[in-house]
Amino acid sequence: MSDQITLTGLVATPPKHIVTSEGLQITSFRLASTQRRFNRAEQKWEDADTNWYTVTAFRTLAANAIGSILKGQRVIVSGRLRIREWQTDEKSGTTIEVDADSLGHDLTFGTSSFTRTPQATAAADTPETAAAAEQIPASPEAPDPDVADAPVDDLAEARAKRPSELPVPF
């Protein structure tokens, strides 16, 4: 049995993407989730405590996350909660991790544009669905998942140079 959790917060570190020797893609980042409370006496919102999580995505979600998520963006994460105790000779502590099942931008704070990746398409059941699947364009912003030896910094730098594609709100 596993504990499911849904979180919202800020991506606090640049997402780190690796590909294991077996070809498994993994993307991870730290998420800061701060509670806010309304102070009625002062009539303003105040920050409360911040909780920190390590979010890890695997396989196709990892490939899509590294092509979509940047440090400082607000996201929603849903996944399995893992709490781990750790200890060294000098310190001990608790690490809270989330194995992401899904993640995306928090649209409460902005807009986003969705592009279906070829890996996410369903298998063709009929000639019509096969033809429709062939029409789905590849995402030009997504890094090539076959480039296993590319340093993390190069991937992050390439994503940061992407121009904003926010629509005009009127």
Side-chain angles (χ1 to χ4, degrees):
M1 182 183 226
S2 65
D3 295 328
Q4 290 293 121
I5 189 168
T6 299
L7 302 167
T8 62
L10 287 169
V11 177
T13 60
K16 178 181 171 186
H17 184 77
I18 63 169
V19 179
T20 66
S21 59
E22 292 83 24
L24 177 66
Q25 296 188 60
I26 304 171
T27 298
S28 65
F29 58 89
R30 297 281 287 161
L31 181 76
S33 180
T34 303
Q35 297 176 353
R36 294 186 47 90
R37 297 185 187 137
F38 188 74
N39 183 333
R40 291 184 185 188
E42 296 185 27
Q43 292 295 305
K44 67 177 186 176
W45 286 95
E46 297 175 344
D47 287 343
D49 296 329
T50 299
N51 293 319
W52 293 90
Y53 304 90
T54 299
V55 177
T56 306
F58 298 93
R59 300 174 189 78
T60 305
L61 181 58
N64 290 338
I66 195 64
S68 303
I69 305 296
L70 297 171
K71 179 181 175 181
Q73 293 179 334
R74 293 187 177 268
V75 295
I76 298 175
V77 178
S78 180
R80 291 173 306 281
L81 181 67
R82 291 189 302 159
I83 300 173
R84 299 177 188 255
E85 303 290 331
W86 57 270
Q87 184 173 355
T88 65
D89 293 336
E90 303 157 358
K91 298 181 189 178
S92 65
T94 303
T95 300
I96 303 172
E97 301 174 349
V98 177
D99 289 342
D101 292 325
S102 59
L103 65 99
H105 293 105
D106 186 346
L107 299 181
T108 304
F109 298 94
T111 61
S112 188
S113 177
F114 177 78
T115 303
R116 183 182 297 265
T117 56
Q119 300 92 335
T121 59
D125 295 328
T126 65
E128 293 80 20
T129 58
E134 292 296 323
Q135 300 302 317
I136 298 172
S139 174
E141 301 91 10
D144 184 359
D146 296 329
V147 182
D149 298 328
V152 173
D153 293 333
D154 290 347
L155 290 171
E157 184 178 322
R159 289 186 298 113
K161 290 181 181 177
R162 248 187 325 187
S164 174
E165 297 179 2
L166 296 177
V168 179
F170 48 86

